[in-house]
Amino acid sequence: MTHDQDSGLDTGVPHSARLWNYWLGGKDNFASDRAAGDEIARRFPSIVDLAVADRAFLRRVVRHLVEQEGIRQILDIGTGLPTGDNTHQVAQSIAPDTRIVYVDNDPLVLVHARALLTSTAEGATDYIEADLNDPEGILREAARTLDFSKPVAVTLLGIVHFILDDEESRDVVRRLVGALPSGSFLTIAHGCHDINRAEADDIVTFWNEHGTPKIVYRGSAEIARYFDGLELLPPGVVPCSRWRPEPGDPDLDVNQYCGVARKR
């Protein structure tokens, strides 16, 4: 086992955040992540397309929420490692007074959190080291920066599939949504096995044998249940590459379904 003495990181075991960083062309990853990333890409050739499509979806949905829905507060849970076009950069380029709170439990993300804490003078950014399994703790800490009497957009991109139990994952999402006022939004992107089922099952098996944290892919109908009681925006639950694509976006389906919904 290999550890970074300064941060306590286990660099010998591939980690999902660092793998994502590798596929997106970042430098915050280790040899174990690159080896696993190459093997996964060999087994599941569309995985890099998935990573790129997921990031493009983040940009599109943040623009929509801020520009079209008037959202000025975003709670980004499962932040991942900083890359280009982070949530606050996209949001504050449209509305400088937007306030963003990032949440992650990966110590490497904490090391780089300073890159997420830049902000316009009119807005604010904050970072919380916390786990999705403790939604009340996240909400309590986020309230230092966000006003939960006003609409908040919660984004859960590529994180709910780390909660392996179906009912537990739905309960966590319900508890988060329950604390939001009317006019708030929930965005989820979640690994899905409805497309390329054999490859999807293979990637999950490989990852759970070699990497951390463990994952589960769900079907589109299961993912849609996270939005029960909310107003799902068109086009509904679709591959993230199909959620309001823009001219020039690649015409493909990826194993990452997403949805955006409003709380009435």
Side-chain angles (χ1 to χ4, degrees):
M1 186 176 294
T2 306
H3 290 272
D4 182 304
Q5 296 300 320
D6 294 330
S7 64
L9 297 174
D10 182 356
T11 61
V13 176
H15 191 283
S16 60
R18 302 194 302 260
L19 217 68
W20 218 247
N21 178 265
Y22 174 55
W23 286 326
L24 289 171
K27 298 180 180 178
D28 297 312
N29 48 73
F30 300 104
S32 63
D33 307 306
R34 295 188 287 273
D38 290 342
E39 176 62 14
I40 291 170
R42 183 187 70 79
R43 292 169 173 250
F44 192 30
S46 64
I47 194 69
V48 177
D49 290 333
L50 188 159
V52 172
D54 176 81
R55 197 69 187 180
F57 167 66
L58 167 66
R59 293 191 292 268
R60 294 197 306 274
V61 76
V62 170
R63 282 201 301 268
H64 174 81
L65 290 169
V66 175
E67 198 168 50
Q68 304 300 320
E69 305 291 351
I71 286 293
R72 295 296 181 267
Q73 303 188 106
I74 302 174
L75 180 56
D76 182 336
I77 304 176
T79 302
L81 289 160
T83 61
D85 291 336
N86 297 297
T87 298
H88 73 284
Q89 294 168 321
V90 177
Q92 292 180 344
S93 70
I94 300 165
D97 59 334
T98 308
R99 306 175 74 83
I100 294 95
V101 173
Y102 292 105
V103 183
D104 209 292
N105 68 348
D106 178 7
L108 189 60
V109 178
L110 177 61
V111 168
H112 291 274
R114 63 185 178 275
L116 298 170
L117 296 178
T118 58
S119 175
T120 58
E122 303 94 328
T125 62
D126 195 9
Y127 179 82
I128 300 169
E129 186 176 16
D131 193 286
L132 179 59
N133 289 287
D134 180 21
E136 287 76 21
I138 290 173
L139 293 163
R140 183 173 59 252
E141 292 297 310
R144 297 179 307 184
T145 303
L146 306 180
D147 180 356
F148 282 93
S149 70
K150 299 177 181 178
V152 176
V154 173
T155 62
L156 299 167
L157 306 190
I159 183 173
V160 177
H161 52 221
F162 294 123
I163 302 180
L164 304 184
D165 182 82
D166 292 346
E167 184 52 44
E168 182 181 348
S169 67
R170 287 193 291 269
D171 180 62
V172 165
V173 172
R174 280 194 297 265
R175 285 150 66 190
L176 282 170
V177 172
L180 304 178
S182 297
S184 294
F185 286 83
L186 172 68
T187 299
I188 293 176
H190 189 303
C192 183
H193 53 53
D194 287 2
I195 301 169
N196 302 324
R197 180 62 186 260
E199 288 186 350
D201 289 346
D202 188 31
I203 181 65
V204 170
T205 299
F206 177 86
W207 179 254
N208 287 344
E209 289 175 353
H210 297 92
T212 186
K214 309 305 180 190
I215 62 173
V216 61
Y217 277 7
R218 296 182 169 97
S220 55
E222 297 170 286
I223 296 168
R225 290 196 60 189
Y226 294 115
F227 300 103
D228 285 354
L230 304 176
E231 178 191 355
L232 198 60
L233 301 189
V237 175
V238 295
C240 61
S241 51
R242 301 294 185 187
W243 197 89
R244 306 190 181 193
E246 298 174 346
D249 285 345
D251 180 16
L252 79 170
D253 292 324
V254 295
N255 288 80
Q256 182 98 314
Y257 272 54
C258 71
V260 183
R262 179 188 290 108
K263 182 176 181 180
R264 286 299 190 183

